[in-house]
Amino acid sequence: MGYRVVVAGATGNVGREMLNILAERQFPVDEIAVLASRKSLGTEVSFGDKTLKTKDLATFDFSGWDMALFAIGSDATKEYAPKAAKAGCVVIDNSSLYRYDPEVPLIVPEVNADAIEGYSKKNIIANPNCSTAQMVVALKPLHDRARIKRVVVSTYQSVSGSGKEGIDELWDQTKSIYNPVDDKPAKKFTKQIAFNVIPHIDVFMEDGSTKEEWKMVVETKKIVDPSIKVTATCVRVPVFVGHAESINIEFEDHLDEAEARDILREAPGVMVVDKREDGGYVTPIECVGDFATFISRIRQDSTIDNGINLWCVSDNLRKGAALNAVQIAELLGNRVLKKG
């Protein structure tokens, strides 16, 4: 006996990846519905060896469906998530709409699986921001051992984090660099992204940080520990898929790099590749299509008493979005619904 599952936003990058991962992980699906906006109605998407036609999100009846994975953005989620939840269908939402709602659990299953029990307040569970998800997978086991005081993180985020338009803009601009009569000005991004890096993701806030940076601060506190201080600088880089992060961690207790490496090797969802030689580390291009969060360059920070530096890489369409949502669905099934 399996689940009746809905994927809303099935024609987008994350929605398609959700379908791929549900099939790859052999999620116990009895029936699946794929939804899209009216303009994409009837578009065909793949689910394992099946081809499915999208139905209209606006007219879909969520009654009798067990769970819905939403990848449709905050505006549409605001309209349709409460309808699904009211009909008894648990929503797992990839947008930022519910992440900061105290009545909605924000979950990374390797980190705070017990938070799933709070889903019933609104019948909604939030998926974290892509840059936060991979970072907290690395932070949690180290925090359990030596208690983290402060995190300084700089991100190197791929253009797929901004959707298909971001991917297309990098592709088109890169080609146009070699063709002097083909000018492709910035549209999706604030400056040229090809052969460039842009220290600006999401909107600016009053204190000079961007909303992406604010998300990393607030979400880390909600998922791991509200006492952790976090400061972030988020940068868009000309990479198609895969986010990378340089993370500096200050602990309350001493933790040497060898023990940190051993802890991370045993941590769920983490793969340590840390050889002090040419190529002995993971880069974004190597993590694409993988479930793991990769950790490299683990080393002591000698400028503070209890400090560790590390390099963290993950496929942002997977752990940063679709994979985490499917893992939440698995957690919901195993701990709460118990049908599969």
Side-chain angles (χ1 to χ4, degrees), residues 66-118:
D66 295 302
M67 58 182 79
L69 281 61
F70 271 45
I72 56 175
S74 293
D75 290 342
T77 297
K78 190 173 184 177
E79 181 175 356
Y80 297 108
K83 291 180 180 178
K86 189 176 181 181
C89 178
V90 182
V91 173
I92 300 168
D93 177 34
N94 194 60
S95 81
S96 62
L97 184 65
Y98 291 105
R99 289 176 189 158
Y100 318 109
D101 186 329
E103 295 191 331
V104 174
L106 178 66
I107 294 178
V108 175
E110 298 93 335
V111 177
N112 64 333
D114 289 346
I116 194 79
E117 304 298 338

Side-chain angles (χ1 to χ4, degrees), residues 7-21 45 71-72 94 158-168 188 240-241 315-318 321-323:
V7 176
T11 59
N13 290 338
V14 174
R16 289 177 188 272
E17 199 66 24
M18 286 173 171
L19 289 166
N20 289 339
I21 294 170
V45 294
I72 56 175
N94 194 60
S158 65
V159 294
S160 58
S162 62
K164 184 178 181 298
E165 291 174 336
I167 294 172
D168 290 346
K188 180 65 178 177
F240 286 110
V241 179
D315 182 331
N316 55 294
L317 297 179
R318 291 208 150 202
L323 170 61

Side-chain angles (χ1 to χ4, degrees), residues 171-323:
W171 176 249
D172 291 341
Q173 279 185 357
T174 301
K175 289 188 295 180
S176 74
I177 297 291
Y178 297 99
N179 183 354
V181 298
D182 183 23
D183 182 39
K184 297 290 183 184
K187 291 181 180 177
K188 180 65 178 177
F189 302 112
T190 55
K191 291 181 184 267
Q192 176 185 308
I193 185 60
F195 302 95
N196 198 18
V197 298
I198 304 171
H200 176 193
I201 301 177
D202 214 323
V203 298
F204 273 97
M205 305 184 74
E206 283 186 14
D207 66 353
S209 61
T210 64
K211 195 168 184 183
E212 184 82 359
E213 293 156 357
W214 175 84
K215 288 173 186 175
M216 292 194 76
V217 174
V218 177
E219 292 176 20
T220 300
K221 288 175 176 288
K222 184 172 179 179
I223 296 168
V224 184
D225 189 331
S227 69
I228 296 175
K229 294 179 179 179
V230 181
T231 182
T233 301
C234 294
V235 182
R236 190 71 73 190
V237 298
V239 170
F240 286 110
V241 179
H243 288 357
E245 298 170 348
S246 171
I247 308 173
N248 175 266
I249 311 165
E250 182 180 0
F251 298 92
E252 289 184 8
D253 302 323
H254 179 71
L255 177 65
D256 68 48
E257 62 187 44
E259 187 180 357
R261 197 174 288 110
D262 289 343
I263 289 168
L264 289 167
R265 281 201 178 105
E266 298 299 320
V270 172
M271 181 74 71
V272 174
V273 179
D274 188 22
K275 299 176 183 177
R276 293 178 176 179
E277 60 187 46
D278 293 353
Y281 41 80
V282 175
T283 59
I285 204 165
E286 292 141 14
C287 78
V288 175
D290 208 296
F291 289 141
T293 294
F294 291 91
I295 306 296
S296 308
R297 302 293 319 278
I298 302 166
R299 62 207 187 278
Q300 220 79 44
D301 176 4
S302 61
T303 67
I304 52 177
D305 287 340
N306 302 312
I308 293 283
N309 288 304
L310 55 83
W311 174 251
C312 175
V313 178
S314 191
D315 182 331
N316 55 294
L317 297 179
R318 291 208 150 202
K319 186 54 191 170
L323 170 61

Side-chain angles (χ1 to χ4, degrees), residues 15-160:
R16 289 177 188 272
E17 199 66 24
M18 286 173 171
L19 289 166
N20 289 339
I21 294 170
L22 284 166
E24 281 177 35
R25 292 172 73 91
Q26 298 182 322
F27 188 84
V29 173
D30 261 5
E31 186 179 355
I32 191 161
V34 289
L35 310 183
S37 62
R38 203 155 283 167
K39 66 179 181 180
S40 300
L41 199 60
T43 301
E44 292 187 341
V45 294
S46 297
F47 174 62
D49 57 2
K50 298 177 183 175
T51 300
L52 309 173
K53 281 192 175 182
T54 56
K55 298 179 180 179
D56 186 4
L57 171 63
T59 58
F60 187 77
D61 182 2
F62 288 91
S63 301
W65 293 84
D66 295 302
M67 58 182 79
L69 281 61
F70 271 45
I72 56 175
S74 293
D75 290 342
T77 297
K78 190 173 184 177
E79 181 175 356
Y80 297 108
K83 291 180 180 178
K86 189 176 181 181
C89 178
V90 182
V91 173
I92 300 168
D93 177 34
N94 194 60
S95 81
S96 62
L97 184 65
Y98 291 105
R99 289 176 189 158
Y100 318 109
D101 186 329
E103 295 191 331
V104 174
L106 178 66
I107 294 178
V108 175
E110 298 93 335
V111 177
N112 64 333
D114 289 346
I116 194 79
E117 304 298 338
Y119 88 96
S120 58
K121 291 177 183 174
K122 289 194 173 179
N123 240 20
I124 297 171
I125 303 164
N127 213 24
N129 190 41
C130 49
S131 51
T132 307
Q134 70 186 69
M135 182 172 75
V136 298
V137 168
L139 293 184
K140 180 60 163 63
L142 300 177
H143 181 63
D144 288 347
R145 160 62 182 82
R147 298 214 45 92
I148 295 170
K149 289 171 62 178
R150 181 173 184 257
V151 174
V152 181
V153 56
S154 297
T155 72
Y156 308 77
Q157 294 178 228
S158 65
V159 294
S160 58

